[in-house]
Amino acid sequence: MAISSMKNLFKERKIPFLFSFFLLLIFVTFILISNSQKSPVFIATDISQHHSETPISSNPIISQTQLNPITKDSNPSEDFGLNDTKNDELGVENFDWKLCKGAVAVDYIPCLDNSEAIKALKSRRHMEHRERHCPDPSPRCLIPLPDGYKLPVPWPKSRDMIWYNNVPHPKLVEYKKDQNWVVKSGDYLVFPGGGTQFKDGVTNYIESIQKTFPEIDWGKHIRVILDVGCGVASFGGYLLDKNVITMSLAPKDEHEAQIQFALERGIPATLSVIGTQKLAFPDNAYDMIHCARCRVHWDGDGGKPLMELNRILRPGGFFVWSATPVYRDDERDKKVWKAMVALTEAICWKVVKKTFFDSAGVGLVIYQKPVSSSCYENRRENNPPLCDQNNRSNSSWYASLDSCLVPLPTSSSGNTYEWPTPWPQRLNNKPERLSQKTDNEDIFDEDTKHWAALVSDVYLGGLSINWSSVRNVMDMNAGYGGFASAIIDRPLWVMNVVPISEPDTLSIIFDRGLIGIYHDWCESFNTYPRTYDLLHSSFLFGNLTQRCDVVEVVVEMDRIVRPGGYVLVQDTMPMLNKLSSILQSLHWSVNLQQEQFLVAKKGFWRPHDKVRK
């Protein structure tokens, strides 16, 4: 009607022509501006995916970058925009994303599935083929979703059952069908709490250990455990009820997907093997190490595997070994036991308990590591020798196994090593190792206060994250573990990663009663795809991008995060803008907050090309 009126004005010549043209120009400009406000770029739609039994949609998702701060009263689901605008309309760099190819594409782990490097190995005698062999350059393909993938079963229900379609690997179900590890039941995989050595169930096994040796005192004296050869991680899963945090560890081997099962269940776990290289943990870290028929030849290669356990076991810590050589009398088992006796005596471990559980028909032995080096010095034979600390770094990243014993630490006063205070006090008490460097204690205090305030005031209330859907969390540059400490009361766990290019603080993290691992973010992480709900980093990317391409790091983050999961990054605005551009090209929904935080939520989009087997 407005345009018709303008035409009538022209016909009746009631206003000069130039003035009419000027009015028409203003009117058209107003219409264009008005329409732009209704553009899909500005339309926000809830993309939160609620738990259901129907397969997830694979429709592309891209959202605008929202720059307005979010208040504590905001609805997180409303803060992630959804629209079908093309990348170039959003100013996003036009990446040509492709799906990863090959038979293992859905579960691809670049540094563990490098078939060319594995084929070229000269030996597999010491499990070299299970170690890291990273491709160069790092891959930029995207991991496809399994057919019928669904949002994971929420914690704590997930400890006992997960969707079969999310981890569709039936081999372990059949292989361990008589041992009650895992059972397929309709659309689910169910974990009854059994195991090779848990014939009365894992709960009874855990209770029996403490009854046998009460000094263990689960969740107070013993807080941080490594479970070697963990199976489906039921031991660590049920110890969570005791306030014990367990790093479940196993290689990617013929026991298909055991670590993938563990992480899908919401239980802390990582892929690794005791082969020719050290585990990516610091010295004197774990309160206890557990092995239930873990198939490691501890006395092999001159005893190096057991000396690696000795390196990472805290002075005064325990090694619980539940295996047939402990309680069977056939010739093979007796030979293994004899070798174990000789080796444990040589490294000054003492047997504090050896027992047999009649009802289950299994037995175990509990060893204890010494608290001082005096035993080492008083041995009749200096074999294995003490390591030369002057030429030895604490970092274990791509380092060969030691054939020597690490001298034991002492307190700052020169006395015998002191065990950390009981949990939960040890979380915020200053670890003894802080005193080894000037000003560390003040830095630790400030770090703890900083993260407590930031998590309380911003992360939990001011950002668009549905924390109730978050179980598996990774802090990509953990520092002293302040973020994990500040969020300890929520029903989640944190994998604290200390990058090898950053100060080595991982010992402090373990002293606090938390778990973590070393890593280089210019390489792929040792985990299956779709295993974490949230990745967190604080000013990681500045130093990192001096060594590798940020695109490759983001592709790795996309591989690790589950659909519906989050990335939370604190960094400079130029870096956040760069990350935002890449994440939007992957069809993640992105929010920039307060000019220092990026919150991105992964959708369910994958490129449309089919995976070729």
Side-chain angles (χ1 to χ4, degrees), residues 51 210 431 458 475:
H51 178 73
Q210 180 153 321
V458 179
D475 193 352

Side-chain angles (χ1 to χ4, degrees), residues 66 68-72 74-75 79 461-464 591 593-594:
Q66 298 177 348
N68 298 325
I70 293 180
T71 66
K72 289 186 177 182
S74 298
N75 182 349
D79 293 316
L463 299 181
S464 351
N591 280 277
Q593 307 291 334
Q594 304 173 25

Side-chain angles (χ1 to χ4, degrees), residues 513-573:
L514 305 170
I515 58 171
I517 199 165
Y518 295 115
H519 185 58
D520 181 356
W521 282 112
C522 289
E523 299 180 1
S524 174
F525 193 81
N526 272 16
T527 193
Y528 284 90
R530 305 171 301 278
T531 45
Y532 282 84
D533 301 302
L534 185 144
L535 303 185
H536 170 260
S537 75
S538 180
F539 298 102
L540 166 70
F541 289 92
N543 292 333
L544 184 63
T545 51
Q546 296 177 20
R547 298 190 298 112
C548 52
D549 192 331
V550 68
V551 175
E552 295 169 357
V553 183
V554 174
V555 168
E556 174 64 1
M557 294 164 70
D558 179 83
R559 187 185 74 86
I560 293 173
V561 176
R562 292 166 166 171
Y566 301 90
V567 164
L568 168 54
V569 179
Q570 182 183 28
D571 221 302
T572 64
M573 276 306 298

Side-chain angles (χ1 to χ4, degrees), residues 180-230:
N180 232 17
W181 282 29
V182 55
V183 177
K184 188 173 187 300
S185 177
D187 293 335
Y188 296 95
L189 289 171
V190 177
F191 301 88
T196 309
Q197 299 294 96
F198 312 150
K199 297 180 181 178
D200 284 340
V202 68
T203 302
N204 285 333
Y205 177 82
I206 290 168
E207 295 289 349
S208 296
I209 292 175
Q210 180 153 321
K211 288 178 183 177
T212 297
F213 192 63
E215 188 177 336
I216 284 174
D217 199 7
W218 297 125
K220 294 181 181 178
H221 185 68
I222 298 298
R223 161 65 184 174
V224 185
I225 293 179
L226 178 69
D227 187 17
V228 179
C230 63

Side-chain angles (χ1 to χ4, degrees), residues 285-302:
Y286 286 97
D287 304 343
M288 175 186 283
I289 300 175
H290 173 259
C291 159
R293 298 280 287 277
C294 57
R295 302 194 306 162
V296 178
H297 299 293
W298 298 116
D299 62 319
D301 197 18

Side-chain angles (χ1 to χ4, degrees), residues 21-82:
F21 180 79
F22 178 73
L23 289 177
L24 180 62
L25 184 62
I26 292 174
F27 180 79
V28 171
T29 302
F30 174 79
I31 293 296
L32 289 173
I33 293 174
S34 177
N35 286 341
S36 72
Q37 300 300 318
K38 299 175 183 179
S39 165
V41 175
F42 292 87
I43 299 175
T45 307
D46 180 11
I47 65 162
S48 61
Q49 300 291 326
H50 299 286
H51 178 73
S52 70
E53 299 189 7
T54 56
I56 288 169
S57 167
S58 58
N59 290 334
I61 298 174
I62 304 179
S63 78
Q64 73 171 103
T65 301
Q66 298 177 348
L67 298 176
N68 298 325
I70 293 180
T71 66
K72 289 186 177 182
D73 295 328
S74 298
N75 182 349
S77 65
E78 293 175 355
D79 293 316
F80 286 99
L82 167 66

Side-chain angles (χ1 to χ4, degrees), residues 578-590:
K578 188 169 187 177
L579 292 171
S580 175
S581 175
I582 303 168
L583 288 166
Q584 286 192 32
S585 76
L586 291 167
H587 296 215
W588 288 49
S589 40
V590 178

